[in-house]
Amino acid sequence: MNVLEEWTALVCRELGIDPARVDRAAVLDLTRDVAHGVARPAAPLTAYLVGLAQGAGSAPPDVVERLSRMAKDWAEATAQTRAAPDTPDS
């Protein structure tokens, strides 16, 4: 068992969560996409918000995929905005 598996098991036990319900790879992929596409501090915030929505029962089944796509779209949109030349006002 590696450190991440041990930590996940410990936290799940502390929070009363079945570790089998945790898709660790999906959460890590989501936080990577958000950190790279939006901003590093947005990654843990997004994971926390997903957890709140899951706990409240309001998260859609495809929440991780949707948010990953949003982060990638955000990155593309902001890259295009930064690459667009400034046009002087006439």
Side-chain angles (χ1 to χ4, degrees), residues 20-87:
R21 295 188 58 213
V22 178
D23 187 345
R24 189 175 58 237
V27 172
L28 294 174
D29 288 346
L30 171 62
T31 56
R32 179 202 61 226
D33 293 342
V34 173
H36 293 172
V38 181
R40 280 181 145 336
L45 177 60
T46 301
Y48 177 73
L49 293 173
V50 168
L52 287 176
Q54 289 282 11
S58 63
D62 62 342
V63 65
V64 171
E65 294 83 7
R66 288 170 63 176
L67 294 177
S68 285
R69 175 79 289 185
M70 285 173 56
K72 290 174 185 174
D73 290 346
W74 178 285
E76 291 170 14
T78 57
Q80 290 172 1
T81 301
R82 287 191 302 262
D86 291 334
T87 54

